[in-house]
Amino acid sequence: MAQNSFEGAHYLASGFRMLLQKGIKRYVFIPLGINLTLLTIALIYLINQISSWATWIEETITSWGTWEWLGTALAWLVWPIVIVGAVLFIFFFFSMLANWIAAPFNGLLAEAVERKLHAESSHSDGPIEDQGFKDLIKDTPRLLKREWTKLKYYIPRAILCLLVLFVPLIGAIAFPIIWFVFNAWMMSVQYIDYPMDNHKIPFDDMLSTLQTTRSGTLGFGSLVMLCTMVPILNLLVMPAAVCGATQLWYENYREKHLSKQLSEQ
């Protein structure tokens, strides 16, 4: 089982190595294009916002008159924390949007990775059927409904995290840490859900499974979050995370859930 953070993070590195493998790479291009477009928009928006914030802070400090020195000192203390928080918030928001749009194609990618892993293993339960684009079109409403379920899970918890910002003094320092940990968890939920959803595993069951190996789950999600903030690398992180999460699912959770489904039939 992926019990510790290092083991969880290892799967993302494995996901990057899969991107150009035969039988997988053709499923990478559409998620890659969606990610490229939206992250470019996110970067442009972030640069414009930071410029606006910098101008506003400078004007505010100047208006303090004799206390301008105090405003400057506070700006030097808080500004880096605000920048980190803004980067985490904006990039994660656009990553969530990219995952929403690319959900059907990410499902196909997860299926292709699982099919390849299954073919390379010694399992005796037969090959995994290639669903193809016709089934993708048929399943799109269900996939989008699943993304909506994840969004409903995410929004109230994100709001609680944002409320930390309103705690005097401590809030600005604590928020980036809390936001990072929460979104690392959400990154794992987002990506590991693709192979689980392919097997029609209910969302609540998926959450319960991840909570039993919380450390490994956070390790995987934390590395995804860090890669999302690295230029160039962030363009590849979505398909790589789908590949890595599918391998994590296959090696740690698949047999348990398939056995459970068979026993319930």
Side-chain angles (χ1 to χ4, degrees):
M1 299 293 285
Q3 296 287 352
N4 61 58
S5 298
F6 177 78
E7 288 177 0
H10 151 77
Y11 285 101
L12 182 60
S14 179
F16 277 107
R17 290 193 293 269
M18 290 184 195
L19 292 180
L20 294 178
Q21 290 184 9
K22 184 178 179 181
I24 293 176
K25 59 185 177 181
R26 68 175 179 268
Y27 295 100
V28 170
F29 294 113
I30 294 177
L32 186 63
I34 293 170
N35 207 31
L36 172 62
T37 302
L38 289 177
L39 284 177
T40 300
I41 294 171
L43 183 60
I44 293 170
Y45 176 77
L46 183 62
I47 291 171
N48 289 335
Q49 284 299 110
I50 289 174
S51 177
S52 299
W53 293 338
T55 302
W56 178 79
I57 288 174
E58 184 178 349
E59 291 174 352
T60 301
I61 291 173
T62 302
S63 68
W64 284 23
T66 56
W67 293 97
E68 184 177 342
W69 63 272
L70 179 60
T72 302
L74 289 173
W76 277 103
L77 176 65
V78 176
W79 186 238
I81 298 171
V82 172
I83 293 295
V84 171
V87 169
L88 290 175
F89 180 83
I90 291 172
F91 272 100
F92 184 78
F93 172 79
F94 277 89
S95 294
M96 286 286 287
L97 183 60
N99 280 305
W100 182 289
I101 297 171
F105 306 102
N106 284 337
L108 275 181
L109 175 57
E111 180 189 277
V113 172
E114 185 173 352
R115 193 164 54 247
K116 182 177 179 62
L117 292 171
H118 196 70
E120 293 172 349
S121 72
S122 57
H123 283 88
S124 58
D125 52 345
I128 297 174
E129 184 181 353
D130 185 354
Q131 297 298 317
F133 281 94
K134 288 184 179 179
D135 291 297
L136 167 66
I137 294 171
K138 184 175 66 177
D139 270 359
T140 295
R142 181 185 61 80
L143 292 168
L144 293 179
K145 183 179 178 181
R146 184 74 164 213
E147 291 302 309
W148 174 243
T149 300
K150 281 185 260 188
L151 193 62
K152 288 191 295 183
Y153 175 83
Y154 169 77
I155 289 175
R157 291 162 178 82
I159 291 172
L160 286 175
C161 291
L162 290 171
L163 290 176
V164 173
L165 276 172
F166 295 94
V167 179
L169 297 177
I170 298 175
I173 297 172
F175 171 72
I177 300 170
I178 294 172
W179 187 251
F180 182 88
V181 173
F182 168 63
N183 285 306
W185 167 256
M186 281 304 306
M187 284 292 184
S188 290
V189 168
Q190 178 69 48
Y191 289 110
I192 297 175
D193 185 58
Y194 288 123
M196 290 200 178
D197 184 47
N198 283 345
H199 289 275
K200 310 298 190 294
I201 295 170
F203 184 75
D204 289 340
D205 289 355
M206 182 271 297
L207 287 178
S208 297
T209 298
L210 296 188
Q211 287 165 356
T212 62
T213 54
R214 195 179 295 270
S215 177
T217 300
L218 285 174
F220 175 80
S222 295
L223 191 55
V224 173
M225 279 290 291
L226 290 172
C227 289
T228 300
M229 294 182 286
V230 178
I232 307 301
L233 197 61
N234 58 13
L235 302 178
L236 300 171
V237 71
M238 183 167 69
V242 174
C243 294
T246 303
Q247 185 178 1
L248 193 157
W249 139 262
Y250 189 85
E251 295 180 358
N252 295 278
Y253 307 127
R254 181 179 184 272
E255 288 190 11
K256 173 185 173 183
H257 280 283
L258 293 187
S259 297
K260 181 181 177 181
Q261 287 177 338
L262 287 173
S263 65
E264 291 174 351
Q265 290 178 356

